[in-house]
Amino acid sequence: TDKNLTNLIKKYEPDPKWEFPRNQLEIEQTLGEGEFGRVLRAEATNINGNNGVTTVAVKTLKDDARETELNDLLSEYHLLKEVSHPNVIKLLGVCTTPGGPIYLIIEYAEHGALRNYLRKSRNIRISHIAQTPEDQEGKTSHYDEPKTCQITPKEILAFAWQISNGMAYLSSVKLVHRDLAARNILLAKDKICKISDFGLTRDIYEDNAYFKRSKGRVPVKWMAPESLQDHIYTTKSDAWSFGILLWELVTLGASPYPGIAVQNLFHLLKQGYRMERPNNCSPKLYQMMRNCWEVLPENRPSFQVLSSRLEKMLGDGV
Ligand code: ADE
């Protein structure tokens, strides 16, 4: 259609408002790599109204990336241009001009991916259990340094609340994330959660569902039954994924449905199987997960409701 064609042309057209000069970007190191994409750390000079040097993250494609990945990266760019919320990763600029790779310049999150952060925090807990006598007397020791990484139940709730707030915002602007998982949440300064990885995110207009066009890698264990069966993605399928993300939070980054093969999962879910309550998970929080895993999408809570429940739980100290 004409509208699609106009959008496609727009997608490849440089936007002077966001273009950043390549020579003001100094790539430092690789932060992460996917199959076709790469995230780099860089220093940007005078970006986004910040005078001087700012540490940034740069998303780019590998040489062997295909057109689909280019498309996903450009989709992410155009979506990020339109969003603004403290719990959603911020776009700072872009390099799309010829003479170099496409770079999406995004805010740098100093603690990296939430899943890794949660997993790292496990070892620290253990090192505290195995305290030395000096620790108990309150003297300083080499165990003191990583204390900043220790996670309390209240912090888990605060993470969940922040992510829900970001998702409530995204759903209010009619965006469906489609890949909500702890690996796609970044942890920035002051332990602020930032929803990221919008490569699969889609605009929903007219009817409220998005039908996935191509195959590609699918996050089966985070997906709602209707997404697995009919490729239907809505804010309510994001709510299902949020339930899995809650489970990841309380298990400090465990992999969901341990021991269950992805091929068997859909059948099990259809029969009503759900993950059991993890250790250290309050009944209230488990109830929230189960609400997110209601088989009928309309029975799952909205992110607005999830946010207010989490806020209340934070206040109650539960
Ligand atoms: N890894 C992927 N994206 C990142 C970002 N924006 N900041 C820090 N680490 C990252």
Side-chain angles (χ1 to χ4, degrees), residues 10 13 29 32 73 86 110 135 146-147 161 166 271-272 275 318:
K10 259 199 241 148
E13 212 171 72
Q29 67 167 90
L73 192 69
E110 63 179 48
D135 286 331
K147 254 187 193 159
W161 177 66
Q271 291 176 325
M275 284 192 282
V318 181

Side-chain angles (χ1 to χ4, degrees), residues 133 210 225 247:
Y210 175 78
W247 187 93

Side-chain angles (χ1 to χ4, degrees), residues 22-134:
R22 291 180 186 278
N23 60 8
Q24 280 168 238
L25 197 62
E26 206 170 304
I27 306 290
E28 289 186 331
Q29 67 167 90
T30 302
L31 290 170
E33 262 187 28
E35 202 180 345
F36 298 103
R38 194 176 272 140
V39 181
L40 311 161
R41 195 185 70 195
E43 299 287 357
T45 306
N46 302 336
I47 194 164
N48 212 252
N50 295 321
N51 277 330
V53 173
T54 307
T55 301
V56 296
V58 171
K59 264 190 114 157
T60 188
L61 296 171
K62 290 184 177 177
D63 293 335
D64 56 356
R66 300 162 305 186
E67 201 167 320
T68 323
E69 284 80 39
L70 171 63
N71 241 303
D72 286 349
L73 192 69
L74 291 172
S75 293
E76 183 167 15
Y77 161 44
H78 291 285
L79 284 169
L80 285 176
K81 283 204 296 194
E82 308 300 329
V83 296
S84 171
H85 187 275
N87 300 115
V88 174
I89 202 83
K90 192 173 153 185
L91 181 75
L92 301 175
V94 76
C95 303
T96 65
T97 53
I102 290 185
Y103 287 148
L104 284 199
I105 309 167
I106 55 179
E107 69 180 304
Y108 179 69
E110 63 179 48
H111 300 291
L114 181 59
R115 182 171 188 267
N116 296 339
Y117 182 85
L118 293 168
R119 294 179 76 91
K120 263 189 288 169
S121 79
R122 294 174 175 192
N123 307 329
I124 281 123
R125 270 220 176 133
I126 290 157
S127 79
H128 270 268
I129 292 159
Q131 272 180 339
T132 61
E134 294 96 291

Side-chain angles (χ1 to χ4, degrees), residues 40-272:
L40 311 161
R41 195 185 70 195
E43 299 287 357
T45 306
N46 302 336
I47 194 164
N48 212 252
N50 295 321
N51 277 330
V53 173
T54 307
T55 301
V56 296
V58 171
K59 264 190 114 157
T60 188
L61 296 171
K62 290 184 177 177
D63 293 335
D64 56 356
R66 300 162 305 186
E67 201 167 320
T68 323
E69 284 80 39
L70 171 63
N71 241 303
D72 286 349
L73 192 69
L74 291 172
S75 293
E76 183 167 15
Y77 161 44
H78 291 285
L79 284 169
L80 285 176
K81 283 204 296 194
E82 308 300 329
V83 296
S84 171
H85 187 275
N87 300 115
V88 174
I89 202 83
K90 192 173 153 185
L91 181 75
L92 301 175
V94 76
C95 303
T96 65
T97 53
I102 290 185
Y103 287 148
L104 284 199
I105 309 167
I106 55 179
E107 69 180 304
Y108 179 69
E110 63 179 48
H111 300 291
L114 181 59
R115 182 171 188 267
N116 296 339
Y117 182 85
L118 293 168
R119 294 179 76 91
K120 263 189 288 169
S121 79
R122 294 174 175 192
N123 307 329
I124 281 123
R125 270 220 176 133
I126 290 157
S127 79
H128 270 268
I129 292 159
Q131 272 180 339
T132 61
E134 294 96 291
D135 286 331
Q136 280 144 23
E137 287 163 27
K139 289 180 190 163
T140 54
S141 81
H142 59 283
Y143 284 118
D144 280 0
E145 192 237 335
K147 254 187 193 159
T148 47
C149 201
Q150 203 184 1
I151 296 179
T152 63
K154 189 156 183 153
E155 251 176 323
I156 301 270
L157 277 182
F159 289 162
W161 177 66
Q162 293 178 39
I163 298 162
S164 176
N165 290 346
M167 287 307 299
Y169 166 77
L170 289 178
S171 68
S172 78
V173 296
K174 300 251 179 283
L175 288 179
V176 176
H177 190 284
R178 304 204 314 157
D179 198 6
L180 185 59
R183 63 180 171 276
N184 290 335
I185 305 294
L186 291 165
L187 199 58
K189 194 166 171 288
D190 300 324
K191 294 191 198 163
I192 306 291
C193 289
K194 308 269 179 180
I195 300 166
S196 91
D197 278 85
F198 288 74
L200 296 179
T201 303
R202 295 292 179 271
D203 235 317
I204 40 166
Y205 39 86
E206 282 150 33
D207 78 340
N208 220 28
Y210 175 78
F211 295 84
K212 195 168 76 82
R213 24 119 238 222
S214 62
K215 47 239 150 269
R217 295 200 312 150
V218 277
V220 171
K221 288 188 169 180
W222 281 260
M223 284 162 72
E226 71 275 12
S227 311
L228 289 167
Q229 180 163 294
D230 301 316
H231 309 301
I232 293 173
Y233 294 88
T234 64
T235 290
K236 296 293 188 176
S237 58
D238 277 346
W240 178 289
S241 309
F242 183 77
I244 306 289
L245 176 42
L246 287 176
W247 187 93
E248 292 184 276
L249 285 171
V250 291
T251 59
L252 298 178
S255 301
Y257 307 100
I260 294 176
V262 290
Q263 301 91 295
N264 302 333
L265 188 62
F266 178 70
H267 187 66
L268 285 167
L269 293 174
K270 269 291 187 206
Q271 291 176 325

